[in-house]
């Protein structure tokens, strides 16, 4: 049995008095695509943000390639926060793609991709830009390197954002509803880049409403509802009839988005 | 130099009257400015296009020049074209026109913020232009124009101090005269600053309370 | 109204522009510190900054100028009136600019910071490379606006005896008995300066990297 890329044990997340995630147990196998699906407000984005340590879980443990992320259990069995340097080191294995792209508006596409190579990895400018250009080429945007985000379409911006995350050579890529902010005709180009990435064997965790993508690309699907994982498994298993009524209800809402094979 | 509180007590009647003049000029100037500004904005939007350009030019000139220059023009220039005004009416006129220019821009932005569809919907139901403005646009605009209006009100109150330069017997004139007379100019100016500070804070608080009150109705344009 | 009189007004505008420019720059530097204090989590820093801003935004500039003009000699600083004028205008604009900057820093979208955080940038790098540049460009239009406000407000330094446009116009008007021509000319000069500043501001804003054209 190989080490899972991410393992989540008994994770709980509370905002004030409301509990948004409850008793989450999840294993993300290395080299596979895992999708988190579920209705709005089910907690899937919060779960993903916990995996990126953008939100701190209230309880429970997360390990990334066997190393604790953020918190660990000390010898007395208490949950203890890890030092910042440690958190940053573990987190450097994770790349994140946001719903709103979050490209820095005052830098070109190339500048966005090269930024962390220069400031964090201290690569010389020429080398950083060469590597950045290689990433942009990979997502098919080498000819847009000098463009600012405001000059790019939503789909192009999201591809630049993927290149920006990939430039740091993460072992795991997290996608938070990467196509939700896009016009329908622009989702394809982003999903294609993600498909290519999956083919290369990248470990990916994708929060998405693109059921078609989940059904065809993912090896594992987890269905979240009201802060809990209702069930998880391979797509064939999850989508097989008869389905759980909550899933049926959810599919009714989203099925017109190009997942006709599931009807 | 020691501060003598008795000086303030002795001159209380004058300070009160100066404050009264400032408040009266401010509130009257503001009201006239709101009315005139609303008329300008409405004429520019729904009147003849021939009016829009000259009105826009006048507004730009008023917004692009110092209030003091405008006041000097009316006060010293007026008599040469047969308009001799005493300081108080001159100050009120100047303040109202200045306020109108800025209020017209606030109302212009307010008109723009109401979706055109609301206007069209009312038109289709057969409401007249005046009815649409009064029954649809004004209530929708209220919430949008209130915060900048409160801001402008505070600015106008502070600008009214400039009227002391043409000897309007308002707060600044009165208190600095007391200062000279009592050989305590610095103390007087300090007191003056405190009085303005107090009025401005009170006005700002009142404005915020009005905003909070109005926003509970929640009929703002989306 | 002769060309010679108009020329005198134009020459006096050097003082208007100079005092305004210096005050804007000093005010900006002060505002950086003030806005940092306003955004601080500690009341010890926040309260004095809030107090300062409330005072300088709550008192007419004319009164501030009179106060500083009389206060400086009182505390033993016998400085020329131009210094008092610049001090007064700088403190006033610092209060307004600090509020602008605070608004700018607060409205930097959280996502930009999160993206930088995920890319591994340190808090210092995030501030210098991401947060500050974005906040400054968000506040740039407000800065141009403030520059125009200060240019117009600088007419008030005429009361402490500095012969800028307004004071020159006043002197000329009383010696030539042509107030309408003189004050109209002064108004035109102010308009021209404000217009140039506004246009330059728009141009700079459009040419900032990544600006939406």
């Amino acid at each position: 049995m190989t080490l899972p890329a991410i393992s989540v044990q008994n994770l709980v997340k509370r905002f004030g008095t409301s509990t948004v995630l409850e008793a989450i147990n999840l294993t993300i196998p290395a080299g596979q695509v895992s999708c988190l699906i579920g209705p709005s407000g089910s907690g899937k984005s919060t779960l993903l943000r916990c995996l990126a340590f953008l939100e701190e879980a209230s309880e429970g443990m997360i390990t990334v390639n066997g190393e604790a992320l953020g918190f660990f259990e000390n010898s007395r069995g208490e949950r203890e926060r890890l030092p910042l340097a440690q958190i940053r080191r573990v987190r450097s294995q994770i790349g994140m793609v946001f719903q709103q792209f979050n490209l820095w508006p005052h830098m070109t596409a190339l500048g966005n991709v090269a930024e962390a190579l220069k400031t964090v990895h201290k690569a010389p400018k020429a080398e950083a830009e060469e590597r950045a250009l290689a990433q942009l080429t990979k997502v098919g945007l080498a000819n847009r390197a000098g463009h600012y985000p405001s000059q790019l379409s939503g789909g192009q911006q999201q591809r630049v954002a993927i290149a920006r995350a990939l430039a740091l050579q993460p072992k795991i890529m997290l996608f938070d509803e990467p196509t939700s902010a896009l016009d329908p005709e622009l989702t394809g180009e982003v999903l294609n880049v993600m498909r290519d990435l999956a083919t290369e064997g990248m470990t990916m965790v994708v929060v998405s409403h693109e059921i078609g993508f989940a059904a065809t690309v993912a090896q594992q699907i987890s269905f979240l509802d009201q802060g809990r994982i209702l069930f998880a498994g391979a797509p064939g298993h999850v989508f097989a009839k008869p389905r759980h009524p909550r899933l049926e209800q959810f599919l009714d809402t989203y099925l017109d988005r190009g997942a006709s094979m599931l009807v | 130099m020691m501060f003598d509180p008795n000086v303030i007590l002795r001159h209380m009647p004058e300070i009160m009257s100066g404050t009264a003049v400032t408040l009266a000029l401010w509130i009257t100037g503001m009201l006239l400015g709101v009315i005139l500004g609303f008329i300008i904005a409405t004429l520019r939007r729904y009147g003849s296009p021939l009016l829009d350009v000259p009105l826009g030019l006048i507004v730009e000139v008023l917004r692009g020049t110092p209030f003091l220059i405008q006041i000097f023009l009316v006060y010293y220039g007026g008599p040469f074209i047969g308009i001799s005004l005493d300081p108080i009416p001159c100050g009120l006129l100047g303040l109202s026109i200045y306020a109108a220019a800025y209020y017209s821009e606030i109302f212009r932005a307010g008109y723009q913020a109401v979706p055109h569809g609301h206007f069209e919907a009312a038109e289709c139901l057969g409401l007249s232009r005046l009815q649409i403005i009064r029954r649809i646009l004004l209530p929708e605009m209220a919430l949008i124009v209130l915060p900048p209006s409160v801001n402008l009100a505070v600015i106008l109150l502070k600008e009214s101090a400039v009227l002391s330069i043409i000897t309007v017997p308002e707060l600044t004139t009165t208190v600095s005269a007391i200062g000279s007379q009592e050989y305590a100019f610095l103390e007087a100016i300090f007191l003056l600053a405190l009085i303005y500070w107090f009025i401005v804070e009170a006005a700002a608080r009142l404005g915020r309370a009005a905003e909070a009150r109005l926003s509970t109705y929640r009929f703002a344009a989306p | 109204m002769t060309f010679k009189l108009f020329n005198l007004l134009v020459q006096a505008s050097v003082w208007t522009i100079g005092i305004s420019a210096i005050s804007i720059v000093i005010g900006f530097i002060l505002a950086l510190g003030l806005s940092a204090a306003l955004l601080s989590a500690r009341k010890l820093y926040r309260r004095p900054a809030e107090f300062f801003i409330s005072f300088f935004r709550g008192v007419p500039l004319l009164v501030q100028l009179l106060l500083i003009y009389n206060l400086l000699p009182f505390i033993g600083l016998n400085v020329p009136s131009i210094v008092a004028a610049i001090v007064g205008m700088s403190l006033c604009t610092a209060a307004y600019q600090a509020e602008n900057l605070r608004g700018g820093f607060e409205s930097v979208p959280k996502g930009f910071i999160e993206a930088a955080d995920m890319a591994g940038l340190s808090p210092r790098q995030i501030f210098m490379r991401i947060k500050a540049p974005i906040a400054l460009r968000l506040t740039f239009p407000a800065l141009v606006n403030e520059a125009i406000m200060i240019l117009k407000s600088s007419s008030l330094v005429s009361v402490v005896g500095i012969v800028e446009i307004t004071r020159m116009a006043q002197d000329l008007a009383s010696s030539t008995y042509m107030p309408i021509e003189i004050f109209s000319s002064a108004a035109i000069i102010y308009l021209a300066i404000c217009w140039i500043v506004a246009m330059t501001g728009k141009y700079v804003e459009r040419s900032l990297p990544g600006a939406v054209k």
Side-chain angles (χ1 to χ4, degrees), chain B residues 8-28:
Chain B
I8 298 179
L9 290 177
R10 196 148 23 109
H11 291 282
M12 210 47 173
E14 291 136 272
I15 296 173
M16 294 302 276
S17 110
T19 309
V21 172
T22 284
L23 290 177
L25 277 173
W26 172 46
I27 291 167
T28 327

Side-chain angles (χ1 to χ4, degrees), chain A residues 44-120:
Chain A
K44 54 196 191 304
S45 276
T46 306
L47 175 56
L48 193 79
R49 289 171 60 83
C50 285
L51 300 184
F53 207 63
L54 287 171
E55 304 285 355
E56 292 185 16
S58 311
E59 284 172 31
M61 289 309 154
I62 300 171
T63 54
V64 175
N65 290 322
E67 283 187 280
L69 174 68
F71 295 90
F72 74 106
E73 205 162 88
N74 66 18
S75 51
R76 291 188 302 276
E78 293 157 344
R79 191 164 176 264
E80 200 179 313
R81 208 171 194 283
L82 285 158
L84 198 63
Q86 171 85 359
I87 292 174
R88 292 170 65 106
R89 197 175 54 73
V90 175
R91 200 162 64 161
S92 70
Q93 303 174 43
I94 301 171
M96 174 97 175
V97 174
F98 299 87
Q99 182 178 355
Q100 299 293 341
F101 334 131
N102 291 340
L103 290 184
W104 302 308
H106 57 302
M107 298 179 186
T108 60
L110 189 75
N112 264 278
V113 182
E115 176 64 19
L117 294 173
K118 286 187 283 195
T119 53
V120 182

